[in-house]
């Protein structure tokens, strides 16, 4: 099955006096990370920094409120796929399908 634990803020944002989201992911022996990101201005930097913070865990990025008609959203998505090789989803149904149909990639069993 899949267990989802939501962190707050960036990976290094404290969740308690003694740990952040990275520490929580490590303590839970997380198999993979789903990173929810804004698709607009600043997305590339934010996603790259967050994905790097969770390395070497596999990261799938969900671009929340993605608008296919927005040139910046499309360009950011393409850059993250083409240059960073990240798995990007822009539709919640597609993300759910990825979770259900690709257990090895998402670290589920």
């Amino acid at each position: 099955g899949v267990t989802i634990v939501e962190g707050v803020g960036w990976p290094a944002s404290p969740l308690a006096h003694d740990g952040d989201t990275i520490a929580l992911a490590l303590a839970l022996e997380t198999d993979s990370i789903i990173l929810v990101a804004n698709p607009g201005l600043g997305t590339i930097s934010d996603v790259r920094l967050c994905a790097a913070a969770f390395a070497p865990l596999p990261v799938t990025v969900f671009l929340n409120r993605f608008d296919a008609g927005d040139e910046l959203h499309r360009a950011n998505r393409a850059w993250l796929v083409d240059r960073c090789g990240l798995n990007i989803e822009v539709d919640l149904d597609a993300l759910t399908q990825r979770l259900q149909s690709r257990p090895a990639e998402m670290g589920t069993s």
Side-chain angles (χ1 to χ4, degrees), residues 30-101:
T30 303
D31 294 322
S32 63
I33 300 293
I34 298 172
L35 175 65
V36 179
N38 183 321
L41 192 60
T43 297
I44 292 171
S45 178
D46 289 351
V47 168
R48 290 179 69 204
L49 288 168
C50 289
F54 287 113
L57 296 171
V59 173
T60 296
V61 179
F62 177 69
L63 294 178
N64 196 23
R65 296 181 303 271
F66 181 84
D67 178 357
D70 187 307
E71 184 177 342
L72 178 60
H73 291 194
R74 290 191 317 270
N76 284 343
R77 178 184 186 193
W79 205 97
L80 291 167
V81 170
D82 298 341
R83 298 184 130 206
C84 297
L86 290 169
N87 295 314
I88 306 291
E89 293 295 347
V90 297
D91 177 78
L92 192 53
D93 290 333
L95 178 61
T96 301
Q97 184 65 26
R98 180 184 291 266
L99 287 169
Q100 293 174 342
S101 67

